Amino acid sequence: MTTRVERPWGWYEELAEGPGYKVKRLLVKENARLSLQRHQHRSEHWVIAAGTGSVYCDGAWMDASVGNTFEIPVKAIHRAFGGPGDLLIIEVQRGAILLESDIERLEDDFGRVIN
């Protein structure tokens, strides 16, 4: 059974984990956004499972709708924005270190940037 972790922008659940990978389901609420962030030790592959919104990665905003996929390379600056009806993302993390402490927040709507 998965445990839902509530966040101000929505929620996430860890679905599976193994050597070098972790799978999460994230819901970004309508008009909310993830922090502008990067990771030093992992890449991410995002699949849009439901809803609409937009994804920012390394200087470009892209529309996000059901079926779209996005590659987030290691050290890429990225974020997601929830459009009408929320944005549901399946995230596959790959790398040697898959800890939440690998999130480097550059901007955040909820005061979580550490300088």
Side-chain angles (χ1 to χ4, degrees), residues 14-24 41-45 91-99:
E14 292 186 6
L15 302 177
E17 185 173 6
Y21 78 92
K22 184 184 289 187
V23 181
K24 287 183 173 181
H41 302 285
R42 72 176 185 237
S43 64
E44 296 176 342
H45 178 81
E91 174 184 280
V92 178
Q93 302 174 359
R94 296 180 310 269
I97 298 173
L98 302 173
L99 303 173

Side-chain angles (χ1 to χ4, degrees), residues 68-85:
N68 290 148
T69 63
F70 301 93
E71 290 295 328
I72 313 294
V74 174
K75 299 184 181 179
I77 296 173
H78 62 283
R79 80 179 345 155
F81 177 80

Side-chain angles (χ1 to χ4, degrees), residues 38-112:
R38 72 177 151 215
H39 311 291
Q40 298 298 316
H41 302 285
R42 72 176 185 237
S43 64
E44 296 176 342
H45 178 81
W46 291 356
V47 178
I48 306 305
T52 61
S54 53
V55 169
Y56 176 85
C57 186
D58 273 349
W61 279 101
M62 297 161 277
D63 290 337
S65 58
V66 174
N68 290 148
T69 63
F70 301 93
E71 290 295 328
I72 313 294
V74 174
K75 299 184 181 179
I77 296 173
H78 62 283
R79 80 179 345 155
F81 177 80
D86 303 334
L87 181 65
L88 185 66
I89 300 169
I90 304 299
E91 174 184 280
V92 178
Q93 302 174 359
R94 296 180 310 269
I97 298 173
L98 302 173
L99 303 173
E100 291 299 298
S101 60
D102 188 37
I103 299 172
E104 178 186 359
R105 291 183 175 87
L106 306 170
E107 292 178 9
D108 184 71
D109 296 339
F110 309 102
R112 297 176 297 169

